[in-house]
Amino acid sequence: MEVIIRPNVEQASELTARLIAARLRSKPDLVLGLATGRTMERVYNRLADTHRNEGLDFSCCRTFNLDEYIGIPPEDEHSYRYYMNHHLFSRINIDLANTHLPEGMAADLHAGAVRYEHLIREAGGIDLQLLGIGEAGHIGFNEPLSALRSRTREKALTPVTRQQNAGMFGGDPDKVPKRALTMGVGTILDSRELLLLATGEAKASILAKAVEGPITAMISASAIQLHPNCKVIVDEQAARELKERDYYDWIFHNEPEWREFRDLTSVSRSP
Ligand code: F6R
């Protein structure tokens, strides 16, 4: 794992978008795993800018989102399908037929989850999986005690997560669905590369536990320590409780793989 600390949320988001863009340029038919949530909005703004200003081409890209609420139809503004169309897909040249989310409205949720795993396998597996981290320590909606080998399945959301996501439901945690379909921790770990972005003070404590603490099913994000190709991008606020930050900084400033990303005066500038 590598942890890269950027001075602020804009630069952390921009670095994340630049890494995704670099992977897409070197593999135009990239299979890209996506996340939703407030953290990703800046990343999707940057990607849309890069498409518009530099012609970043998504025409052959296929995407798989981590999760979807159960019982919220795709056209509802609270669904993650709506979020993805709004924040990214409608702003780039992706074929919507190549974009996938778990079927939160499937009559048979278990069969829908099995189909999702099958679709990912049929696409050749996920090349790069983008991740956020929840205050409950989740990746996707893998709430505490999610098996580290779990696959796509139905999961009940914790009160912490429903409170965290209440903002998108008029501030009322009771309006946040109680259940979601989510890729499992095992599904996520099968991706060839992981890229986790965490920003803001509210994530500092859980991020330090996930990165520097023991691997535990109580914090599903700690499972990223098992992955041989994982990058964690954080801003100063989210980095606050990390103990080994001097080492992490040294890596970013000295390792050749980061050379092209050290100069962050790129073209994209939307908020
Ligand atoms: C959503 C997802 C979640 C979020 C996490 C952080 O698709 O995978 O794990 O990444 O809950 O959400 P925000 O960015 O809203 O703090």
Side-chain angles (χ1 to χ4, degrees):
M1 185 196 300
E2 286 168 308
V3 178
I4 306 300
I5 302 166
R6 303 306 301 147
N8 53 49
V9 61
E10 283 77 23
Q11 290 195 38
S13 310
E14 180 157 348
L15 175 58
T16 305
R18 284 184 62 177
L19 278 162
I20 297 168
R23 298 296 182 272
L24 185 57
R25 284 193 186 100
S26 62
K27 187 173 189 273
D29 62 347
L30 191 76
V31 180
L32 180 58
L34 295 171
T36 57
R38 279 153 300 177
T39 313
M40 297 306 155
E41 290 178 16
R42 282 189 172 80
V43 175
Y44 296 149
N45 280 339
R46 297 289 184 275
L47 286 174
D49 283 351
T50 312
H51 166 67
R52 195 178 53 243
N53 301 331
E54 299 172 30
L56 183 65
D57 181 14
F58 290 84
S59 61
C60 299
C61 178
R62 286 160 296 167
T63 67
F64 288 90
N65 267 76
L66 286 164
D67 41 23
E68 177 61 283
Y69 290 121
I70 289 174
I72 301 210
E75 58 282 2
D76 186 309
E77 61 177 0
H78 298 107
S79 74
Y80 282 169
R81 163 55 78 179
Y82 186 98
Y83 171 106
M84 288 310 306
N85 288 349
H86 178 74
H87 289 288
L88 186 64
F89 299 152
S90 62
R91 304 166 69 194
I92 58 176
N93 65 331
I94 198 160
D95 181 348
L96 277 185
N98 289 337
T99 66
H100 307 278
L101 286 92
E103 297 169 62
M105 291 296 286
D108 181 339
L109 291 166
H110 174 70
V114 170
R115 263 197 306 278
Y116 202 60
E117 290 278 333
H118 181 72
L119 272 178
I120 294 172
R121 268 197 310 278
E122 231 177 29
I126 293 171
D127 291 308
L128 173 65
Q129 177 65 56
L130 182 60
L131 299 169
I133 181 171
E135 288 165 36
H138 65 213
I139 44 177
F141 272 138
N142 289 288
E143 301 290 48
L145 292 183
S146 286
L148 301 184
R149 295 173 65 181
S150 50
R151 312 302 306 185
T152 303
R153 73 217 180 288
E154 194 178 342
K155 199 73 200 160
L157 305 185
T158 60
V160 172
T161 295
R162 294 179 72 220
Q163 180 66 54
Q164 179 199 292
N165 289 359
M168 284 162 270
F169 291 83
D172 182 357
D174 288 337
K175 295 208 171 114
V176 179
K178 292 192 175 66
R179 308 179 83 77
L181 270 188
T182 179
M183 278 188 204
V185 182
T187 320
I188 292 168
L189 291 180
D190 281 350
S191 309
R192 284 182 271 281
E193 183 174 10
L194 300 182
L195 182 56
L196 187 148
L197 173 65
T199 58
E201 207 174 351
K203 302 291 172 66
S205 161
I206 197 68
L207 190 269
K209 286 181 187 144
V211 168
E212 294 180 336
I215 297 173
T216 166
M218 284 304 289
I219 299 173
S220 67
S222 67
I224 65 172
Q225 295 176 35
L226 295 166
H227 199 283
N229 187 7
C230 173
K231 293 168 182 61
V232 175
I233 314 287
V234 291
D235 67 355
E236 275 293 345
Q237 290 194 323
R240 231 172 240 183
E241 294 191 30
L242 291 172
K243 292 193 183 68
E244 299 295 334
R245 53 165 307 154
D246 291 350
Y247 173 60
Y248 310 149
D249 281 339
W250 188 91
I251 298 284
F252 184 63
H253 291 291
N254 292 279
E255 290 293 352
E257 70 161 306
W258 291 105
R259 186 177 299 127
E260 64 176 298
F261 299 104
R262 279 179 212 134
D263 162 32
L264 278 179
T265 48
S266 94
V267 294
S268 39
R269 280 286 161 259
S270 323

